Amino acid sequence: GDQVEQSPSALSLHEGTGSALRCNFTTTMRAVQWFRKNSRGSLINLFYLASGTKENGRLKSAFDSKERYSTLHIRDAQLEDSGTYFCAASYQGGRALIFGTGTTVSVSP
Amino acid sequence: DMKVTQMPRYLIKRMGENVLLECGQDMSHETMYWYRQDPGLGLQLIYISYDVDSNSEGDIPKGYRVSRKKREHFSLILDSAKTNQTSVYFCASSPRGGETLYFGSGTRLTVL
């Protein structure tokens, strides 16, 4: 079964508002990364977390290995935040990254 | 033992020299990737290969070419390396349609 369940699949925001993306894991993960995919397929790294929370500008991420989830919060959304966001997690001792199915974020004026 | 193996781990070259980075996987994965990782830029896709001799450009293919003559091997070639190609290069593979990417350990290339 799917080991990384990402939700929602699509998210529409008005400028200035905020929301959260979430990934649930079916097993214990060692670390999680959040990426934004650019228009040409590259993955821009947003966060890498082995635990706790990190914040960068208007983005904040949290990872709870024990509770098996990670979140990415967007606040004060801007038009340039539009794009597809992926979480990806790795097992204990593993190098494989298991990707979520992505969340397409659309920010409108 | 499922793994992606990259060779070499470290490489120093002079500007204008040719560079060959090798990648192998033992999982019979159809799809293979070459990325480079630079500070603040995440993983930039250079090339993707869907199978033998079925390669597509990624985000930043300029200055690179690839070769995939066997499913288990995917090579990245720099003809006449440039200093701005100094980076860490990662190879990855995934089964067709799979969402799991298996990464190699990376090759740190320095072009002087």
Side-chain angles (χ1 to χ4, degrees):
Chain A
D2 293 340
Q3 299 172 77
V4 179
E5 300 169 349
Q6 185 172 345
S7 62
S9 58
L11 181 63
S12 295
L13 297 172
H14 288 293
E15 274 186 301
T17 64
S19 190
L21 289 60
R22 185 178 177 101
C23 282
N24 291 325
F25 313 118
T26 57
T27 188
T28 301
M29 298 297 185
R30 174 176 62 89
V32 68
Q33 291 182 254
W34 283 93
F35 298 94
R36 181 168 60 230
K37 185 178 180 181
N38 72 8
S39 60
R40 302 182 68 178
S42 288
L43 297 172
I44 309 301
N45 184 54
L46 300 175
F47 293 103
Y48 174 90
L49 297 99
S51 65
T53 63
K54 285 188 179 179
E55 191 166 358
N56 185 4
R58 295 176 290 99
L59 299 178
K60 181 177 179 179
S61 183
F63 173 50
D64 190 327
S65 177
K66 185 177 179 182
E67 298 299 324
R68 301 182 180 179
Y69 77 90
S70 178
T71 57
L72 177 69
H73 291 260
I74 305 173
R75 65 174 176 82
D76 187 24
Q78 302 298 307
L79 297 177
E80 60 264 28
D81 294 331
S82 295
T84 302
Y85 292 75
F86 291 91
C87 69
S90 54
Y91 292 117
Q92 294 287 344
R95 292 199 190 95
L97 274 180
I98 306 168
F99 281 77
T101 49
T103 298
T104 301
V105 174
S106 301
V107 182
S108 57
Chain B
D1 187 21
M2 302 185 297
K3 62 182 178 181
V4 177
T5 304
Q6 287 187 238
M7 293 292 289
R9 291 293 305 276
Y10 301 93
L11 187 61
I12 299 175
K13 287 285 192 177
R14 294 197 178 278
M15 192 169 58
E17 291 184 329
N18 298 332
V19 179
L20 173 65
L21 303 185
E22 308 261 30
C23 177
Q25 48 98 359
D26 60 4
M27 298 167 278
S28 298
H29 285 167
E30 291 90 348
T31 310
M32 296 186 74
Y33 314 76
W34 274 107
Y35 291 92
R36 62 178 282 177
Q37 185 177 54
D38 301 288
L41 295 177
L43 291 168
Q44 297 182 88
L45 181 63
I46 305 172
Y47 268 94
I48 185 171
S49 174
Y50 296 103
D51 213 325
V52 171
D53 284 331
S54 180
N55 307 317
S56 293
E57 294 181 349
D59 189 11
I60 51 164
K62 187 177 180 181
Y64 304 93
R65 61 184 175 93
V66 292
S67 175
R68 187 144 180 229
K69 297 302 181 184
K70 294 182 179 180
R71 179 172 281 188
E72 61 268 25
H73 290 135
F74 190 34
S75 301
L76 181 69
I77 302 132
L78 288 67
D79 295 315
S80 186
K82 301 174 180 56
T83 54
N84 62 9
Q85 291 178 308
T86 293
S87 186
V88 180
Y89 291 85
F90 286 95
C91 174
S93 72
S94 69
R96 187 191 305 276
E99 62 198 25
T100 301
L101 268 65
Y102 294 79
F103 282 84
S105 301
T107 295
R108 184 175 293 276
L109 172 67
T110 302
V111 182
L112 302 175

